[in-house]
Protein backbone atom coordinates (compact mmCIF):
# COMPACT_ATOMS: atom_id res chain seq x y z
CA UNK A 1 0.00 0.00 0.00
CA UNK A 2 2.78 2.44 0.94
CA UNK A 3 4.65 1.79 -2.31
CA UNK A 4 1.43 2.38 -4.26
CA UNK A 5 0.91 5.76 -2.62
CA UNK A 6 4.51 6.75 -3.31
CA UNK A 7 4.15 5.55 -6.92
CA UNK A 8 1.04 7.68 -7.40
CA UNK A 9 2.96 10.67 -6.05
CA UNK A 10 5.76 10.08 -8.55
CA UNK A 11 3.24 9.72 -11.38
CA UNK A 12 1.59 12.96 -10.30
CA UNK A 13 4.92 14.81 -10.52
CA UNK A 14 5.54 13.42 -14.02
CA UNK A 15 2.05 14.49 -15.13
CA UNK A 16 2.65 17.98 -13.74
CA UNK A 17 5.97 18.11 -15.59
CA UNK A 18 4.44 17.11 -18.93
CA UNK A 19 1.52 19.47 -18.37
CA UNK A 20 3.63 22.57 -17.76
CA UNK A 21 5.75 21.81 -20.82
CA UNK A 22 2.62 21.31 -22.94
CA UNK A 23 1.20 24.65 -21.77
CA UNK A 24 4.10 26.36 -23.55
CA UNK A 25 2.03 26.44 -26.74
CA UNK A 26 4.25 28.27 -29.20
CA UNK A 27 7.87 27.28 -28.50
CA UNK A 28 8.15 24.15 -26.38
CA UNK A 29 11.40 23.63 -24.54
CA UNK A 30 13.52 20.55 -25.38
CA UNK A 31 12.34 17.64 -23.26
CA UNK A 32 15.96 16.77 -22.43
CA UNK A 33 16.46 20.21 -20.83
CA UNK A 34 13.21 20.00 -18.89
CA UNK A 35 13.96 16.50 -17.58
CA UNK A 36 17.51 17.55 -16.65
CA UNK A 37 16.34 20.38 -14.39
CA UNK A 38 13.65 18.10 -12.90
CA UNK A 39 16.34 15.57 -11.98
CA UNK A 40 18.49 18.40 -10.55
CA UNK A 41 15.61 19.42 -8.32
CA UNK A 42 15.01 15.82 -7.23
CA UNK A 43 18.67 15.11 -6.44
CA UNK A 44 21.23 17.92 -6.25
CA UNK A 45 18.94 20.68 -4.95
CA UNK A 46 17.47 18.46 -2.23
CA UNK A 47 20.87 17.13 -1.15
CA UNK A 48 22.37 20.64 -0.93
CA UNK A 49 19.32 21.91 0.96
CA UNK A 50 19.29 19.06 3.49
CA UNK A 51 23.01 19.46 4.22
CA UNK A 52 23.04 23.24 4.65
CA UNK A 53 19.72 23.42 6.51
CA UNK A 54 20.89 20.73 8.92
CA UNK A 55 24.11 22.66 9.57
CA UNK A 56 22.16 25.91 10.08
CA UNK A 57 19.60 24.33 12.40
CA UNK A 58 22.33 22.64 14.47
CA UNK A 59 24.26 25.91 14.75
CA UNK A 60 21.17 27.85 15.80
CA UNK A 61 20.23 25.07 18.22
CA UNK A 62 23.51 25.55 20.08
CA UNK A 63 22.63 29.20 20.69
CA UNK A 64 18.89 28.90 21.31
CA UNK A 65 16.13 26.34 21.87
CA UNK A 66 15.60 23.51 19.37
CA UNK A 67 12.06 24.72 18.61
CA UNK A 68 13.16 28.28 17.88
CA UNK A 69 16.09 27.02 15.80
CA UNK A 70 13.68 24.91 13.72
CA UNK A 71 11.37 27.90 13.18
CA UNK A 72 14.22 30.21 12.18
CA UNK A 73 15.60 27.63 9.77
CA UNK A 74 12.18 27.11 8.19
CA UNK A 75 11.32 30.79 7.81
CA UNK A 76 14.70 32.40 7.12
CA UNK A 77 17.18 29.68 6.17
CA UNK A 78 15.22 27.23 4.03
CA UNK A 79 13.85 29.78 1.52
CA UNK A 80 17.34 31.17 0.83
CA UNK A 81 19.09 27.80 0.67
CA UNK A 82 16.42 25.98 -1.34
CA UNK A 83 15.79 28.75 -3.86
CA UNK A 84 19.52 29.11 -4.48
CA UNK A 85 19.88 25.35 -4.89
CA UNK A 86 16.97 25.16 -7.33
CA UNK A 87 17.87 28.41 -9.08
CA UNK A 88 21.38 27.11 -9.80
CA UNK A 89 19.87 24.65 -12.30
CA UNK A 90 18.15 27.50 -14.14
CA UNK A 91 21.35 29.54 -14.34
CA UNK A 92 23.21 26.52 -15.72
CA UNK A 93 20.56 25.86 -18.35
CA UNK A 94 20.58 29.54 -19.31
CA UNK A 95 24.37 29.59 -19.65
CA UNK A 96 24.31 26.40 -21.72
CA UNK A 97 21.57 27.88 -23.90
CA UNK A 98 23.62 31.06 -24.30
CA UNK A 99 26.66 29.10 -25.47
CA UNK A 100 24.54 27.20 -28.00
CA UNK A 101 23.02 30.47 -29.19
CA UNK A 102 26.47 31.77 -30.11
CA UNK A 103 27.11 28.76 -32.33
CA UNK A 104 23.58 28.10 -33.64
CA UNK A 105 21.99 31.52 -33.27
CA UNK A 106 19.01 29.99 -31.45
CA UNK A 107 18.25 30.88 -27.82
CA UNK A 108 16.30 28.11 -26.08
CA UNK A 109 15.83 29.97 -22.76
CA UNK A 110 14.15 33.28 -23.50
CA UNK A 111 10.97 34.83 -22.15
CA UNK A 112 8.59 34.47 -19.25
CA UNK A 113 7.10 31.14 -20.36
CA UNK A 114 10.50 29.49 -20.69
CA UNK A 115 11.35 30.65 -17.18
CA UNK A 116 8.09 29.25 -15.84
CA UNK A 117 8.65 25.89 -17.54
CA UNK A 118 12.19 25.46 -16.21
CA UNK A 119 11.37 26.90 -12.79
CA UNK A 120 8.38 24.59 -12.50
CA UNK A 121 10.37 21.56 -13.63
CA UNK A 122 13.05 21.97 -10.98
CA UNK A 123 10.33 22.77 -8.43
CA UNK A 124 8.37 19.61 -9.23
CA UNK A 125 11.51 17.50 -8.80
CA UNK A 126 12.40 19.18 -5.51
CA UNK A 127 8.84 18.94 -4.18
CA UNK A 128 8.61 15.23 -4.97
CA UNK A 129 11.89 14.43 -3.19
CA UNK A 130 10.96 16.60 -0.20
CA UNK A 131 7.56 14.94 0.11
CA UNK A 132 9.13 11.48 -0.05
CA UNK A 133 11.38 12.50 2.85
CA UNK A 134 8.29 13.65 4.77
CA UNK A 135 6.70 10.29 3.96
CA UNK A 136 9.59 8.48 5.63
CA UNK A 137 9.45 10.76 8.68
CA UNK A 138 5.73 11.34 9.20
CA UNK A 139 3.86 8.68 7.24
CA UNK A 140 1.57 8.46 4.19
CA UNK A 141 -1.08 10.89 5.45
CA UNK A 142 1.37 13.79 5.48
CA UNK A 143 2.68 12.74 2.07
CA UNK A 144 -0.81 12.66 0.55
CA UNK A 145 -1.78 16.06 1.98
CA UNK A 146 1.42 17.67 0.72
CA UNK A 147 1.03 16.07 -2.73
CA UNK A 148 -2.59 17.19 -3.09
CA UNK A 149 -2.31 20.72 -1.73
CA UNK A 150 1.34 21.61 -2.20
CA UNK A 151 2.43 20.00 -5.46
CA UNK A 152 2.71 23.33 -7.27
CA UNK A 153 4.26 25.28 -4.39
CA UNK A 154 7.96 24.97 -5.18
CA UNK A 155 7.16 25.27 -8.90
CA UNK A 156 5.45 28.62 -8.35
CA UNK A 157 8.24 29.95 -6.11
CA UNK A 158 11.13 29.05 -8.40
CA UNK A 159 9.24 30.23 -11.47
CA UNK A 160 9.99 33.77 -10.30
CA UNK A 161 13.71 33.03 -10.61
CA UNK A 162 13.05 31.56 -14.05
CA UNK A 163 11.07 34.60 -15.15
CA UNK A 164 13.91 36.91 -14.12
CA UNK A 165 16.42 34.84 -16.09
CA UNK A 166 14.08 34.47 -19.06
CA UNK A 167 13.74 38.24 -19.41
CA UNK A 168 17.51 38.76 -19.72
CA UNK A 169 17.52 38.47 -23.56
CA UNK A 170 14.70 41.03 -23.72
CA UNK A 171 16.68 43.90 -22.21
CA UNK A 172 19.73 45.76 -23.54
CA UNK A 173 21.64 47.21 -20.60
CA UNK A 174 24.03 45.19 -18.42
CA UNK A 175 22.53 46.49 -15.13
CA UNK A 176 19.10 45.26 -16.22
CA UNK A 177 20.52 41.89 -17.29
CA UNK A 178 22.09 41.48 -13.84
CA UNK A 179 19.18 42.91 -11.85
CA UNK A 180 16.35 40.86 -13.36
CA UNK A 181 17.62 37.40 -12.31
CA UNK A 182 18.52 38.72 -8.86
CA UNK A 183 15.08 40.27 -8.43
CA UNK A 184 13.48 37.02 -9.53
CA UNK A 185 15.57 35.04 -7.05
CA UNK A 186 14.80 37.44 -4.20
CA UNK A 187 11.11 37.32 -5.10
CA UNK A 188 11.18 33.51 -4.98
CA UNK A 189 12.86 33.61 -1.57
CA UNK A 190 10.35 36.11 -0.16
CA UNK A 191 7.35 34.16 -1.48
CA UNK A 192 8.79 30.93 -0.09
CA UNK A 193 9.51 32.60 3.25
CA UNK A 194 5.97 33.99 3.44
CA UNK A 195 4.55 30.51 2.90
CA UNK A 196 6.83 28.93 5.51
CA UNK A 197 6.03 31.70 8.01
CA UNK A 198 2.29 31.16 7.49
CA UNK A 199 2.75 27.41 7.92
CA UNK A 200 4.79 27.96 11.11
CA UNK A 201 2.23 30.30 12.67
CA UNK A 202 -1.07 28.96 11.32
CA UNK A 203 -0.42 25.42 10.15
CA UNK A 204 -2.68 24.16 7.35
CA UNK A 205 -3.93 27.70 6.67
CA UNK A 206 -0.72 28.12 4.68
CA UNK A 207 -2.32 26.13 1.88
CA UNK A 208 -4.90 28.90 1.45
CA UNK A 209 -2.00 31.30 0.92
CA UNK A 210 -0.43 28.81 -1.48
CA UNK A 211 -3.69 28.63 -3.43
CA UNK A 212 -3.45 32.38 -4.08
CA UNK A 213 0.19 32.00 -5.15
CA UNK A 214 -0.67 29.23 -7.62
CA UNK A 215 -3.61 31.26 -8.92
CA UNK A 216 -1.27 34.19 -9.64
CA UNK A 217 1.13 31.72 -11.28
CA UNK A 218 -1.63 30.51 -13.62
CA UNK A 219 -2.72 34.07 -14.43
CA UNK A 220 0.87 34.94 -15.35
CA UNK A 221 0.97 31.96 -17.74
CA UNK A 222 -2.28 33.05 -19.41
CA UNK A 223 -1.12 36.65 -19.78
CA UNK A 224 2.24 35.69 -21.29
CA UNK A 225 0.62 33.29 -23.76
CA UNK A 226 -1.68 36.14 -24.83
CA UNK A 227 1.39 38.36 -25.26
CA UNK A 228 3.12 35.70 -27.38
CA UNK A 229 0.04 35.37 -29.55
CA UNK A 230 0.01 39.12 -30.13
CA UNK A 231 3.73 39.12 -30.98
CA UNK A 232 3.19 36.39 -33.58
CA UNK A 233 0.29 38.27 -35.13
CA UNK A 234 2.13 41.60 -35.25
CA UNK A 235 5.53 40.35 -36.40
CA UNK A 236 4.23 38.04 -39.12
CA UNK A 237 1.85 40.61 -40.60
CA UNK A 238 4.77 42.19 -42.48
CA UNK A 239 6.01 38.75 -43.56
CA UNK A 240 2.62 37.98 -45.08
CA UNK A 241 2.68 41.26 -47.01
CA UNK A 242 6.18 40.64 -48.38
CA UNK A 243 5.46 37.03 -49.32
CA UNK A 244 7.66 35.21 -46.80
CA UNK A 245 4.48 33.84 -45.24
CA UNK A 246 1.61 32.74 -47.47
CA UNK A 247 -1.23 35.20 -46.69
CA UNK A 248 -3.62 32.24 -46.57
CA UNK A 249 -1.51 30.66 -43.83
CA UNK A 250 -1.09 33.83 -41.79
CA UNK A 251 -4.38 33.44 -39.81
CA UNK A 252 -3.18 30.03 -38.61
CA UNK A 253 0.04 31.26 -37.06
CA UNK A 254 -1.12 33.03 -33.87
CA UNK A 255 -3.71 30.38 -32.97
CA UNK A 256 -2.25 27.15 -31.66
CA UNK A 257 -5.48 25.17 -31.84
CA UNK A 258 -6.29 26.25 -35.40
CA UNK A 259 -2.86 25.01 -36.46
CA UNK A 260 -3.47 21.67 -34.74
CA UNK A 261 -6.84 21.34 -36.47
CA UNK A 262 -5.18 22.11 -39.80
CA UNK A 263 -2.57 19.38 -39.20
CA UNK A 264 -5.29 16.90 -38.22
CA UNK A 265 -7.14 17.60 -41.48
CA UNK A 266 -4.00 17.01 -43.52
CA UNK A 267 -3.34 13.73 -41.72
CA UNK A 268 -6.93 12.55 -42.09
CA UNK A 269 -6.63 13.06 -45.87
CA UNK A 270 -3.33 11.23 -46.11
CA UNK A 271 -1.33 14.35 -47.05
CA UNK A 272 1.68 13.40 -44.95
CA UNK A 273 4.22 15.35 -47.00
CA UNK A 274 2.20 18.55 -46.69
CA UNK A 275 1.74 17.86 -42.97
CA UNK A 276 5.51 17.61 -42.39
CA UNK A 277 6.28 20.70 -44.48
CA UNK A 278 3.54 22.82 -42.95
CA UNK A 279 4.69 21.98 -39.44
CA UNK A 280 8.24 23.01 -40.29
CA UNK A 281 7.12 26.21 -42.01
CA UNK A 282 4.86 27.20 -39.13
CA UNK A 283 7.51 26.40 -36.49
CA UNK A 284 10.07 28.50 -38.36
CA UNK A 285 7.53 31.32 -38.76
CA UNK A 286 6.77 31.41 -35.03
CA UNK A 287 10.51 31.37 -34.33
CA UNK A 288 10.89 34.23 -36.81
CA UNK A 289 8.24 36.29 -35.01
CA UNK A 290 9.93 35.98 -31.62
CA UNK A 291 13.41 36.49 -33.08
CA UNK A 292 12.29 39.71 -34.80
CA UNK A 293 10.88 41.07 -31.55
CA UNK A 294 14.01 40.09 -29.60
CA UNK A 295 16.26 41.60 -32.28
CA UNK A 296 14.57 44.97 -31.81
CA UNK A 297 14.53 44.78 -28.01
CA UNK A 298 18.11 43.59 -27.56
CA UNK A 299 19.80 45.25 -30.52
CA UNK A 300 21.91 42.11 -31.03
CA UNK A 301 23.34 41.90 -34.60
CA UNK A 302 23.40 38.09 -34.34
CA UNK A 303 19.64 38.08 -33.91
CA UNK A 304 19.15 40.24 -37.01
CA UNK A 305 21.26 37.75 -38.95
CA UNK A 306 19.08 34.94 -37.62
CA UNK A 307 15.98 36.78 -38.82
CA UNK A 308 17.32 36.67 -42.38
CA UNK A 309 18.28 33.00 -42.05
CA UNK A 310 14.79 32.13 -40.85
CA UNK A 311 13.23 33.99 -43.77
CA UNK A 312 15.44 32.04 -46.15
CA UNK A 313 14.54 28.76 -44.44
CA UNK A 314 10.81 29.46 -44.73
CA UNK A 315 11.12 30.31 -48.41
CA UNK A 316 13.16 27.16 -49.04
CA UNK A 317 10.60 25.00 -47.26
CA UNK A 318 7.75 26.59 -49.16
CA UNK A 319 9.62 26.13 -52.41
CA UNK A 320 9.92 22.39 -51.82
CA UNK A 321 6.31 21.68 -50.95
CA UNK A 322 3.80 24.11 -49.54
CA UNK A 323 0.70 22.64 -48.02
CA UNK A 324 -2.28 24.87 -48.66
CA UNK A 325 -4.23 25.75 -45.51
CA UNK A 326 -7.67 24.24 -45.66
CA UNK A 327 -10.93 25.53 -44.42
CA UNK A 328 -9.80 29.18 -44.37
Amino acid sequence: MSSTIAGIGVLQAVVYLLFIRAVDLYEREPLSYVVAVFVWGFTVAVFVSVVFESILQYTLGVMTSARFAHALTAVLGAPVIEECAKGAALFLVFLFSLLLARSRGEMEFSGVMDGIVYGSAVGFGFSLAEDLLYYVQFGPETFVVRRIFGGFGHAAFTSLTGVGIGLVPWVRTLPAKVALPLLGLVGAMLLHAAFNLTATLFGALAYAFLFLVVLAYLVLIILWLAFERRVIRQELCEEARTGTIDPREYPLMPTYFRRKLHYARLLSRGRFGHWRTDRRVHAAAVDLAFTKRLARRSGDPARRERVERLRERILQLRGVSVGEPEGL
Side-chain angles (χ1 to χ4, degrees), residues 5 9 11 25 47 49 92 100 112 115 130 151 169 178 192 196 225 228 248 273 276-277 291 296-297 305 314 328:
I5 293 174
L11 179 61
L25 299 180
F47 176 77
S49 297
L92 288 174
L100 284 181
V112 168
E130 187 179 59
V178 173
H192 194 160
N196 284 6
L225 289 175
E228 288 187 330
R248 295 169 297 174
R276 282 192 296 270
T277 300
T291 304
R296 280 202 303 276
R297 293 294 300 268
E305 292 175 7
I314 292 169
L328 296 180

Side-chain angles (χ1 to χ4, degrees), residues 52-185:
F52 281 94
E53 286 172 36
S54 298
I55 293 172
L56 177 62
Q57 186 168 336
Y58 175 80
T59 303
L60 292 173
V62 172
M63 299 180 289
T64 183
S65 67
R67 183 177 179 181
F68 191 58
H70 176 76
L72 280 178
T73 301
V75 176
L76 299 179
V80 174
I81 295 168
E82 292 176 10
E83 294 310 323
C84 286
K86 289 182 289 178
L90 308 188
F91 281 102
L92 288 174
V93 169
F94 181 77
L95 290 175
F96 183 70
S97 178
L98 197 60
L99 291 174
L100 284 181
R102 291 180 178 177
S103 60
R104 299 180 184 176
E106 181 179 357
M107 187 69 181
E108 290 290 356
F109 195 157
S110 174
V112 168
M113 196 64 222
D114 292 358
I116 290 174
V117 170
Y118 289 123
S120 297
V122 73
F124 291 144
F126 187 94
S127 177
L128 175 62
E130 187 179 59
D131 291 349
L132 288 172
L133 290 175
Y134 272 85
Y135 191 143
V136 173
Q137 289 181 285
F138 304 109
E141 294 82 6
T142 301
F143 177 79
V144 170
V145 169
R146 288 179 63 88
R147 283 281 87 201
I148 293 174
F149 296 105
F152 268 89
H154 282 286
F157 302 151
T158 313
S159 287
L160 286 179
T161 305
V163 168
I165 297 172
L167 288 174
V168 168
W170 291 76
V171 296
R172 295 192 180 194
T173 65
L174 181 60
K177 290 180 182 292
V178 173
L180 282 171
L182 291 177
L183 287 173
L185 179 60

